[in-house]
Amino acid sequence: TRPHIIRCAEEYLDLNKNKKLERDELEVAINNLPWISRGILKIIGSIDKIMAKCDADGDGAIGIDTDMPATEQTCLATCFKRKAFKGAFFPECDQPSSCF
């Protein structure tokens, strides 16, 4: 589910634990992907596209408690994108339902 993916993103990608996914944290996550896995960006988009779809208030960070609820229709809106995002960045994060 989308709430589960958001919790996983907070746990695995929010390196400074400020409840925001900042551009540099996304860059670190992408740079840590094996080169072959970087193709996932064709599915979920570049960092600029991710920020445009997920940073509702335009402050340069995706607030877990603020921006994510406000961007439900644009950010990780489909099961396919949630599955791709989870598979790339935190496959070990347990998923309670069949649709990511």
Side-chain angles (χ1 to χ4, degrees):
T1 64
R2 188 172 185 273
H4 176 77
I5 297 301
I6 293 167
R7 285 191 303 275
C8 291
E10 179 181 8
E11 180 180 344
Y12 287 88
L13 304 181
D14 182 14
L15 301 176
N16 62 9
K17 303 301 180 200
N18 67 348
K19 298 187 78 63
K20 293 183 178 188
L21 299 180
E22 296 161 358
R23 179 178 288 274
D24 62 333
E25 291 170 324
L26 292 173
E27 288 173 356
V28 166
I30 290 168
N31 289 338
N32 285 335
L33 290 174
W35 71 270
I36 198 156
S37 298
R38 292 187 189 174
I40 193 70
L41 294 179
K42 293 183 190 287
I43 296 170
I44 60 175
S46 65
I47 291 176
D48 288 337
K49 287 183 181 180
I50 293 169
M51 297 303 285
K53 291 180 179 183
C54 301
D55 181 14
D57 59 15
D59 68 351
I62 302 165
I64 299 296
D65 297 328
T66 55
D67 294 320
M68 291 308 286
T71 59
E72 189 171 353
Q73 299 300 313
T74 58
C75 180
L76 299 174
T78 67
C79 186
F80 183 72
K81 287 188 177 185
R82 289 189 294 271
K83 185 175 182 179
F85 190 76
K86 178 188 180 294
F89 297 112
F90 35 82
E92 64 279 1
C93 192
D94 290 333
Q95 174 59 37
S97 82
S98 61
C99 181
F100 300 98

